[in-house]
Amino acid sequence: MPFPRRASRLLVLTGAALLVLLVIRLLPSHGGGYVASRVIPQRPRVFEGFDPVHPKQFHPPASIKPLPTGTPRRMPRVQAADADFAQTAETERRRQAVRRTFERSFGAYRKYAWMQDEVTPVSGRGKDTFGGWAATLVDSLDTLWIMGFDAEFAHAAEAVTHLDWGHTDSTAINIFETTIRHLGGLLSAYDLSGDKRLLDKAVELGNMLYAGFDTPNRLPGFWLNFREAAAGELLAGTADPSASPASLCMEFTRLSQLTGDPKFYDATDRVTRFLERVQNDTLLPGMWPTVLDFQHEEARDSQFTLGALADSLYEYLPKMHALLGGLDDTYERLFRVAMDAAEPNLVFRPMLPGGEDVLFAGDYQATGAARLVPRSQHLTCFAGGMFALGGRLFTNDTQVAVGEKLARGCALAYAAFPTGVMPEIFTMMPCERRDLCAWDERAWAKQGDEVLPRGFVNAWDPRYLLRPEAIESLFVLYRVTARADLQDLAWQMFEAIMRSTTTQYANSAIADVRAEQETNKLDSMESFWTAETLKYFYLIFSPPDVISLDEYVFNTEAHPFKRPS
C-alpha cells in the first residue's frame, strides 16, 4: 500500500530537519556561543592487550619512595619587589594585543580543528601529531584561564572530559611530549581552576604514562609502544635524548603531590638517581651528554649542549628544587655542578660590530681537541631564564647576570634578521675573552657570510617555528629585575613575529627568517604557540602578581604548577 503524499513529504521534511540538527551538532561553534560537549573524532582503540587505565606491571618496583616530608624551606625571593614594576596604559595596550592574537589563533583551532591536535594556519584544516588527543586544546587550557576567557575555558574543560586515552591512531606515543603537553596542561589547569574533572583526567593519563617505566631497570624508553607494553617487553633506550626521561619529574611529582600517590614521584626519582650517579663520570664532568644509555645506565657520548635533546634536563633542576620546597637538596647540588661546567665551556660572547656585551649558549665537543662549537639554537634561548631562576633560588648574582646577557643576546638575534625573527640554528664568531671582544673585519671577511647580518657565520636552519624560548627568558628576566626595557624588547619581537607569521586564519611557522619581502609560510602552528609563546608575551605585560614566580613554577611547556608555601 503506497504512503499518502502528505505523509511522505512529512517524513522527508522530518529527516531533513534531523540531518540539519546533526550537522549543526558536529560543526565547531562560532562567535561566543558554546555547547556543552562535542562529538570527538572516532579513533581506533590502542592495542587490545593494553589497558591504558590500569596497565599491567610486569616489572613492578620492589618499593615505592615517598615524597619528601617536612615543612618547605623558606625560599629566596625570585621576583623583584612589587613596587619596582609599573603597569602603564601602553603596557596594558600591548597585553590586550597579545590577548587578541591568542583569541584569533585559538578561534581558528576551535573552528577548523576542534578535538584534533593542531590547526593548519594556512589551509585552515585540522591534523593529528600527538596521538589525536586534542593537543592544542589541552595545552591551551591554562592560557585560557590566565587570559580571562572564562566561557571558553569552561567549554574546553568540559570537552577534555570526553578524551579517551584508549583510542588513538598511534601504535606508540612519545612519553616526553605527552607528559609535558597533556599531563602538564591538565595539572596546571587544575592548579589554577580547582576543576576536579581535570585532575581525574590527569590521573587517567598518569596511569597510562606510568606503564612507560615498566622496564627491567624501571627507567623509561623514549616511546610507549602499546604492543610491547602489553607483553612486558618495554626496555629503556641505549641512545635516547637525555632530556626525554630526565624531564618528566616535574609533572609526575606534581601528580603525586596532588593525589597523595607516591608511585609517580618514585618513577621519575629513579631517573634523577641515575643522573646523580653519572654526573661526574662523563667526558665533560658535571654535565650530561646529549644522549644517554638509560638501559645500561652509562653516559659515554661526547656531545654536550644546553639545546635540543638535553635542554629541559637542566631546566628542571632548579624548578624541581622549588616544586619540592627545597626538601631534597639533590637538585640544587646537580644544578650548581652542571652550571659550573656549562658556563665556562658552552657560553660565549660573540664578536659583533657594535661591541654589544651579550652571550649565547653553544655546544661542546669532548673528543679530539675538545672545544666549544659556537653553534646556537632558538631552543637554547631558554637558558637565560634558567640561569636567572637558579641564581635567585640559590643566591648567585653572577648567574643572574649571565642569564640577563643570554636573554638580551637572543633579543639581539631577533632584531638582526630582516624579518625581525631569529633562525632555528645558527653559528657566530666567538671571542676568545669576554672582556676583550673587538670587531675583527679581517676575521669576518674570512669566516662570515655577506648575505647574513654581520657577526653571523651561517644560518644552519633558517626557519622560525613560533618557538617561545626567547620570550620565555625575557619574561623571567623582567620579573627578576623589573627592567622596563626588557618589555620594549619583547614588544619589538612580538610585532616582528606578527608581521612575519600572520595568515588568513592564525599564525604560521616560516621557512626563512632571512626573507626580505613576503615570508614563506609552512602551514604549521604547534600547540606551543598558544600554550607558551603567547602566554609568555601576555605575562611580560601583566602585573607581577599574575602568575608570580614566587608562587608558581613553570614546566617546560609553560604550564605553571603551584609551589608549596
Side-chain angles (χ1 to χ4, degrees), residues 34 37 82 93 109 138 159 161 181 196 223-224 234 250 273 275 308 330 337 350 383 428 447 490 502 510 515 541 551:
Y34 296 92
S37 63
D82 289 353
R93 183 188 71 81
Y109 169 77
V138 179
T161 66
R181 299 184 195 230
K196 179 72 162 46
W223 299 98
L224 171 55
L234 288 176
M250 282 189 68
R273 299 309 146 187
L275 298 177
T330 301
V337 173
M428 305 185 78
Q447 299 182 45
T502 299
I510 59 176
F541 300 123
E551 296 179 4

Side-chain angles (χ1 to χ4, degrees), residues 343-425:
E343 198 263 330
N345 288 294
L346 281 81
V347 175
F348 66 94
R349 180 178 176 180
M351 185 187 301
L352 295 167
E356 294 89 346
D357 186 8
V358 296
L359 298 173
F360 287 85
D363 298 337
Y364 185 84
Q365 172 61 47
T367 54
R371 62 189 176 91
L372 162 76
V373 180
R375 181 174 56 241
S376 197
Q377 312 167 29
H378 195 291
L379 278 167
T380 62
C381 285
F382 88 93
M386 176 188 67
F387 271 96
L389 178 64
R392 275 289 183 262
L393 288 173
F394 307 132
T395 58
N396 186 328
D397 290 340
T398 299
Q399 285 186 349
V400 175
V402 168
E404 183 171 354
K405 289 184 179 183
L406 285 165
R408 291 181 182 275
C410 289
L412 179 146
Y414 264 71
F417 284 83
T419 53
V421 182
M422 73 184 291
E424 183 77 352
I425 304 174

Side-chain angles (χ1 to χ4, degrees), residues 91 94 147 194 224 231 239 250 274 312 354 373 453 464 516 528 531 554:
T91 306
R94 294 172 176 181
M147 292 189 180
L224 171 55
M250 282 189 68
F274 162 53
S312 48
V373 180
Y464 172 61
E516 297 283 354
F528 53 62
F554 290 83

Side-chain angles (χ1 to χ4, degrees), residues 2-10:
F3 257 36
R5 184 177 300 171
R6 183 176 299 174
S8 178
R9 186 181 299 129
L10 180 61

